Amino acid sequence: MLAALEVSAQTCTAYRLSPDKEKKLVFLTARVHPGESPASFICQGVIDFLVSQHPVAQILRDHVIFKIVPMLNPDGVYLGNYRCSLMGFDLNRHWQDPSPWAHPTLHAVKQLIVQMNQDPRVSLEFYIDVHAHSTMLNGFMYGNVFEDEERVQRQAVFPRLLCQNAPDFSFSNTSFNRDVVKAGTGRRFLGGLLDDTSYCYTLEVSFYSFMTAGSTAPVPYTEETYMKLGRNVARTFLDYYKLNNLIKDNRPLHIQSSEGGSPTANSTAGKGISVGRDATDRKKEANHNGRH
Ligand SMILES: [Zn+2]
């Protein structure tokens, strides 16, 4: 399955045009850090879901354009590098001024994002960059910090919804920052470039395990559970747009309620881990400094 994604940084698009309306646009990138292979399985899950015949996928394709760049650093992946490109750059520190010569994939993708952001026919609403984390458990997100409290709350909506859909996604591990060291990342740079109705996140997933509300020990991630997280990310967009009254969901009730559940076949946990913060969460923050 991974082999299918081991291609140059090509753009996959799944959409149908509706010329009379402004289309919502979701932009997803992965593997800017070549060693973070779980990001490819998540990306695979997103793509598999979006091109499927699932009723949620069909509604999403009717209303939302998905631009997906599954591999931002193909030369680094080819060489087996952990973090850098062929020329030794950490591409996720060069979003501010990528060079077409030294960072060609990043330069091209940034140009595309800027171009789409200026296109009056589309509204770029989400940018999500997928990574894997070397010390944290579960899936979680990094977001940006804003002065406007209402914007901060709006930014928390998508990760909260994802937490309801994906038992291995942790809202309590999700954090918002503006560290100087992260200034050249896609999430930070595009957060400053796009307008205040756009949301930019880094989606992180553990290299090794997740805990759900019902588990007593960490459950090792597999290719399948990474892909399941990807499928849950994709369908969360429908929940988001339904919540904002931008999409009317006409699916039969039995379909609406049959989604979700644990990424493991036999677990009964279905709600994700708690949203609140406690002493354990604060301890976990010490681990946020792992490589990702
Ligand atoms: Zn990373």
Side-chain angles (χ1 to χ4, degrees):
M1 193 63 80
L2 184 60
L5 283 173
E6 302 282 345
V7 293
S8 59
Q10 68 185 47
T11 305
C12 301
T13 311
Y15 66 95
R16 290 179 207 155
L17 282 176
S18 149
D20 52 329
K21 277 196 299 192
E22 187 182 74
K23 301 281 286 190
K24 313 290 171 207
L25 180 83
V26 172
F27 209 108
L28 198 82
T29 56
R31 292 301 282 279
V32 69
H33 290 146
E36 295 171 0
S37 47
S40 284
F41 292 108
I42 289 181
C43 212
Q44 180 82 51
V46 171
I47 295 169
D48 285 347
F49 184 84
L50 290 176
V51 300
S52 74
Q53 293 306 307
H54 194 289
V56 171
Q58 294 182 21
I59 295 170
L60 283 171
R61 289 199 300 270
D62 283 342
H63 293 86
V64 184
I65 298 171
F66 289 89
K67 290 281 184 187
I68 300 175
V69 183
M71 191 170 287
L72 267 172
N73 191 346
D75 43 322
V77 170
Y78 176 79
L79 292 169
N81 289 354
Y82 179 63
R83 196 168 180 89
C84 292
S85 64
L86 168 69
M87 297 180 68
F89 292 106
D90 179 345
L91 297 181
N92 207 32
R93 296 294 181 273
H94 288 276
W95 276 91
Q96 284 160 315
D97 190 22
S99 148
W101 180 77
H103 326 106
T105 52
L106 201 63
H107 183 264
V109 169
K110 182 181 167 183
Q111 275 198 317
L112 179 62
I113 292 175
V114 169
Q115 184 190 322
M116 305 226 69
N117 190 42
Q118 292 168 346
D119 187 335
R121 295 168 302 173
V122 296
S123 170
L124 177 49
E125 307 214 321
F126 285 93
Y127 169 72
I128 300 179
D129 193 25
V130 189
H131 289 248
H133 202 286
S134 61
T135 58
M136 299 286 288
L137 292 176
N138 295 70
F140 60 96
M141 280 176 145
Y142 291 117
N144 293 319
V145 171
F146 304 106
E147 302 298 330
D148 177 4
E149 179 57 26
E150 194 249 342
R151 188 176 181 186
V152 171
Q153 293 302 324
R154 278 191 282 119
Q155 184 183 228
V157 170
F158 187 86
R160 283 181 191 279
L161 291 172
L162 180 53
C163 186
Q164 287 172 11
N165 285 337
D168 57 323
F169 182 84
S170 165
F171 185 78
S172 60
N173 281 356
T174 293
S175 66
F176 304 93
N177 68 62
R178 54 178 153 201
D179 308 349
V180 174
V181 71
K182 301 282 181 69
T185 64
R187 182 252 312 171
R188 279 288 303 281
F189 176 74
L190 293 168
L193 176 80
L194 306 179
D195 68 25
D196 65 2
T197 57
S198 304
Y199 306 101
C200 297
Y201 306 95
T202 301
L203 171 62
E204 297 276 357
V205 69
S206 173
F207 266 108
Y208 48 106
S209 298
F210 60 90
M211 295 277 283
T212 65
S215 53
T216 53
V219 181
Y221 267 112
T222 62
E223 295 176 7
E224 173 51 32
T225 48
Y226 284 133
M227 287 191 279
K228 173 126 192 175
L229 179 56
R231 296 195 293 273
N232 282 328
V233 168
R235 69 190 184 87
T236 298
F237 286 107
L238 182 61
D239 295 339
Y240 175 82
Y241 284 118
K242 264 168 44 187
L243 192 70
N244 287 279
N245 293 319
L246 297 170
I247 290 180
K248 192 163 181 291
D249 186 1
N250 292 320
R251 287 175 300 152
L253 279 175
H254 72 276
I255 293 176
Q256 292 184 32
S257 59
S258 66
E259 292 295 314
S262 168
T264 53
N266 55 2
S267 169
T268 54
K271 287 291 178 191
I273 68 174
S274 67
V275 167
R277 292 169 59 80
D278 56 22
T280 319
D281 292 334
R282 284 188 289 276
K283 255 187 248 168
K284 283 179 198 160
E285 282 181 1
N287 292 329
H288 266 277
N289 293 326
R291 304 311 295 271
H292 52 82

